[in-house]
Amino acid sequence: MSDLTPIITKAVETGATKLLDHFKSQYGSLYFIPLWVNSKTPGEIAPIVAPAVEEQILTVQDDKVTINVIDDKIGVVFNTFVDGFYDSLSFLGKQIMKRADLKMTWDEYKQWLARRKAENPDSFKTWKDNLNLILQMIFDEIIVALNAQGKTVYISNGENFFNSSKEAADAMKIYQ
């Protein structure tokens, strides 16, 4: 655990709380009741996801931090999140998630997204927008938290630097 771990954990928790509120308003809060997803869920998931974010996504050199929006690295965090989220669910919630085909790995997600891009552009757009929103909210919270610690934050995909997490997410190879 580095000295950034508590900061990253709190940023992930704050972002996850905002995402939960957003998705409750988008899909309706009743959707989350059988999953047993509630206001405590972000605090339960953040300590599981934050180390993966720190190890996979962040490169730290002195007071400079780069957020690496690289598909394979995002995939490791995606898998960590899905597994942690799934493990936090009730038995009924796990069954619902399986039946709704929401318990998927990054590779399965990529395959599903590619099929939707070809067969159902509206569904592709919805899932792309949702993933981008998740990445943006989490990364933006991390940026705010790191800036508050005096860190300069860069966003890159390993080839280019971006002015925002939105630009970086939109440039992911998974969408090409």
Side-chain angles (χ1 to χ4, degrees):
M1 173 152 82
S2 79
D3 59 333
L4 291 181
T5 301
I7 296 160
I8 302 303
T9 302
K10 184 62 178 161
V12 170
E13 181 178 351
T14 301
T17 299
K18 289 179 180 180
L19 286 164
L20 178 59
D21 291 342
H22 168 80
F23 286 119
K24 279 183 175 181
S25 69
Q26 181 176 344
Y27 295 111
S29 59
L30 291 178
Y31 181 79
F32 295 91
I33 292 171
L35 297 174
W36 290 60
V37 173
N38 57 45
S39 61
K40 294 180 183 176
T41 304
E44 295 169 354
I45 299 300
I48 297 166
V49 175
V53 168
E54 194 172 355
E55 293 167 15
Q56 295 295 318
I57 306 291
L58 303 182
T59 303
V60 180
Q61 292 179 327
D62 301 318
D63 285 337
K64 297 176 185 142
V65 179
T66 302
I67 297 175
N68 299 292
V69 185
I70 299 169
D71 289 45
D72 291 342
K73 292 180 177 290
I74 298 292
V76 172
V77 176
F78 179 95
N79 290 342
T80 302
F81 167 77
V82 170
D83 290 344
F85 180 69
Y86 182 79
D87 290 344
S88 76
L89 298 175
S90 67
F91 175 77
L92 178 61
K94 289 177 182 175
Q95 296 307 310
I96 291 169
M97 196 167 168
K98 279 184 190 176
R99 287 193 183 122
D101 287 330
L102 296 174
K103 172 73 168 90
M104 61 179 78
T105 65
W106 179 249
D107 287 337
E108 291 167 336
Y109 181 80
K110 289 190 313 187
Q111 291 170 3
W112 188 93
L113 199 61
R115 262 195 328 273
R116 290 298 179 259
K117 185 176 183 182
E119 299 169 5
N120 188 341
D122 290 339
S123 179
F124 169 81
K125 183 179 179 339
T126 299
W127 280 70
K128 175 186 175 184
D129 290 349
N130 283 344
L131 178 61
N132 281 1
L133 177 69
I134 292 165
L135 295 174
Q136 290 166 40
M137 275 201 185
I138 298 298
F139 292 157
D140 289 349
E141 290 299 325
I142 291 170
I143 291 167
V144 167
L146 291 173
N147 285 162
Q149 297 297 311
K151 307 283 186 199
T152 302
V153 181
Y154 301 97
I155 306 165
S156 175
N157 66 358
E159 298 169 10
N160 301 303
F161 286 92
F162 299 93
N163 293 319
S164 70
S165 59
K166 179 182 180 351
E167 287 179 18
D170 282 340
M172 287 177 52
K173 291 181 170 94
I174 190 174
Y175 303 129
Q176 311 312 317

